[in-house]
């Protein structure tokens, strides 16, 4: 298994976390357990990176929106993240710019890996 650490600011990670959370909620009902397991791995990596921040967090426990998080995932999980951003893109009117940034950061890192 190959792992890759990508630095992503909290604001963009929150978009990923939301997409993954949505996918897990739908997929668990549909019995797509592989997606639920992948989502658990992805979200756990984000929680761990957020928890390492020692400054003041918002009311939900997130570091400041522009704080960088070093997220380490398997390459396959990063590819799955991209597919989930694509999956939920049609439903988020205000997320288009963030989605493009997320895709660019992850795709560039995957190409370099």
């Amino acid at each position: 298994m190959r792992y890759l650490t990508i630095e992503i600011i909290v604001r963009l990670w929150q978009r990923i976390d939301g997409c993954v959370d949505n996918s897990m909620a739908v997929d668990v009902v549909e019995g797509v357990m592989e997606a639920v397991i992948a989502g658990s791995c992805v979200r756990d990596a984000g929680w761990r990176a957020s928890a390492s921040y020692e400054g003041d967090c918002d009311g939900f426990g997130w570091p400041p929106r522009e704080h960088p998080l070093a997220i380490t995932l398997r390459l396959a999980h990063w590819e799955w993240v991209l597919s989930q951003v694509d999956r939920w893109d049609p439903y988020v009117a205000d997320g288009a710019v963030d989605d493009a940034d997320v895709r660019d950061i992850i795709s560039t890192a995957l190409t370099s890996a």
Side-chain angles (χ1 to χ4, degrees):
M1 275 182 262
R2 293 187 49 211
Y3 289 83
L4 177 64
T5 300
I6 301 177
E7 194 168 274
I8 299 179
I9 61 172
V10 169
R11 175 177 51 84
L12 298 179
W13 183 257
Q14 287 172 323
R15 174 69 178 129
I16 292 168
D17 186 71
C19 290
V20 169
D21 184 54
N22 289 345
S23 293
M24 291 173 66
V26 170
D27 293 345
V28 74
V29 172
E30 295 178 358
V32 184
M33 297 315 293
E34 297 84 3
V36 175
I37 292 167
S40 294
C41 293
V42 170
R43 294 192 78 206
D44 183 66
W47 294 330
R48 289 175 185 271
S50 293
S52 70
Y53 178 72
E54 296 180 1
D56 291 333
C57 294
D58 69 12
F60 298 103
W62 289 105
R65 291 176 49 81
E66 300 303 315
H67 177 75
L69 297 174
I71 309 290
T72 303
L73 293 170
R74 291 176 40 205
L75 293 179
H77 285 149
W78 282 118
E79 292 165 354
W80 183 81
V81 164
L82 287 176
S83 71
Q84 300 318 298
V85 171
D86 290 342
R87 178 180 183 180
W88 295 101
D89 184 61
Y91 305 103
V92 180
D94 63 347
V97 172
D98 285 351
D99 287 357
D101 290 345
V102 166
R103 283 186 196 94
D104 183 54
I105 291 166
I106 296 172
S107 296
T108 299
L110 286 172
T111 302
S112 301

